[in-house]
Amino acid sequence: EMFANFNDVYWKYGRIAIQKFRENPSEKSLQYGHDITFEEFLRYVVYHFENSNEIEPYWTSIMDVCHPCNIDYDIIGHMETFDVDSKYALCTSGIANMMELFSGFETDIKKKNIRRMTLEAYERKHALESVFTHEEFLTRHIWNICMHEYMITPINIENISINATALESSALLEQHSSFDFSNKRISQTQSKGPYKEIPNDLLQKLTKLYVSDYEMFGYKRKDEN
């Protein structure tokens, strides 16, 4: 989320990572941390584990957060198979009819979330003029919406005027919403794609840090591929 969000709470990690791991960073990147790359973020995660005793909830091991050895879970699901796992959980719990309730509210839910995210983004637009151009702002905002799967295919940002209000922009974006609860699933290609550009030594370090999670969820470790 930190790669598309306008929340500078996330950007503080970008400032640290860029300062430590980017060669010849721009003053703008050092000041805001808004353009942190995926590799820089992963390097910061490794650095944090190796050099800090502070617990960071955003990337703490699931094993340490959920304590599966102490809690007898009935179901352990995966984001890659969210739709199948959620249906199984509802059926196992005897409330399979909840899926029908969700499908009835899909349209309202997706549009309300797009509107909320757009209003929140536009509240910060003026303050971010020194960081993003109008086109960069819209591109990042639409990317954020797509990342949450409220919109599958990004629209042409040229359709949104630079003078458009938050509500006008939201109304246009809502027309292109396509969130479907029953099909909310991340493919293996999508989930593995960003890692293809990550250096092998960094992947090895991450594997060691999260080895318990790999084993718990049945993922292949880097040294097993």
Side-chain angles (χ1 to χ4, degrees):
E1 184 175 356
M2 66 186 298
F3 301 100
N5 207 291
F6 293 110
N7 190 338
D8 54 12
V9 170
Y10 295 105
W11 292 1
K12 69 177 182 180
Y13 303 115
R15 291 193 291 270
I16 298 172
I18 290 170
Q19 183 179 25
K20 287 187 174 296
F21 305 114
R22 183 177 299 182
E23 293 186 10
N24 302 316
S26 68
E27 289 298 322
K28 183 177 177 180
S29 296
L30 289 171
Q31 181 178 355
Y32 296 104
H34 63 293
D35 58 346
I36 178 177
T37 66
F38 186 48
E39 180 179 339
E40 289 168 343
F41 166 69
L42 294 180
R43 290 196 180 280
Y44 175 72
V45 170
V46 172
Y47 173 84
H48 178 86
F49 272 106
E50 293 177 344
N51 296 276
S52 175
N53 293 323
E54 180 183 355
I55 297 176
E56 178 50 72
Y58 291 114
W59 47 78
T60 298
S61 166
I62 297 298
M63 180 70 77
D64 295 330
V65 173
C66 298
H67 308 290
C69 294
N70 300 325
I71 301 174
D72 186 17
Y73 288 101
D74 296 307
I75 300 169
I76 296 180
H78 297 68
M79 285 303 299
E80 295 90 338
T81 53
F82 183 89
D83 56 333
V84 176
D85 294 343
S86 60
K87 290 177 181 177
Y88 175 76
L90 291 173
C91 290
T92 302
S93 303
I95 51 174
N97 61 312
M98 288 293 292
M99 291 302 298
E100 297 298 325
L101 293 177
F102 275 115
S103 63
F105 291 114
E106 281 177 10
T107 301
D108 286 340
I109 290 173
K110 64 186 178 183
K111 290 186 176 181
K112 286 180 179 178
N113 278 308
I114 289 176
R115 189 176 306 130
R116 172 185 57 78
M117 293 172 69
T118 302
L119 291 175
E120 290 175 353
Y122 269 73
E123 283 180 357
R124 300 211 60 214
K125 186 180 180 184
H126 179 71
L128 295 171
E129 287 180 349
S130 59
V131 185
F132 302 111
T133 65
H134 171 69
E135 291 75 16
E136 290 171 338
F137 171 84
L138 288 178
T139 299
R140 193 179 185 99
H141 176 52
I142 293 172
W143 180 25
N144 196 15
I145 292 174
C146 290
M147 186 178 67
H148 285 81
E149 297 188 16
Y150 300 138
M151 180 189 297
I152 303 302
T153 304
I155 69 170
N156 189 338
I157 61 174
E158 294 180 358
N159 294 333
I160 303 179
S161 167
I162 191 172
N163 297 316
T165 66
L167 288 176
E168 289 171 342
S169 299
S170 177
L172 182 59
L173 294 172
E174 289 170 35
Q175 294 176 16
H176 295 267
S177 57
S178 54
F179 177 71
D180 182 354
F181 179 85
S182 64
N183 290 312
K184 184 172 175 60
R185 176 174 55 202
I186 301 174
S187 69
Q188 289 192 1
T189 301
Q190 288 175 305
S191 61
K192 293 182 179 180
Y195 289 91
K196 292 182 179 179
E197 305 299 324
I198 304 303
N200 190 63
D201 66 314
L202 180 54
L203 290 177
Q204 294 287 356
K205 291 180 179 179
L206 288 165
T207 297
K208 291 180 180 179
L209 289 175
Y210 293 100
V211 63
S212 58
D213 287 355
Y214 276 81
E215 294 173 351
M216 179 171 65
F217 288 103
Y219 294 132
K220 281 189 175 182
R221 301 195 307 271
K222 178 64 180 176
D223 54 10
E224 294 178 327
N225 291 335

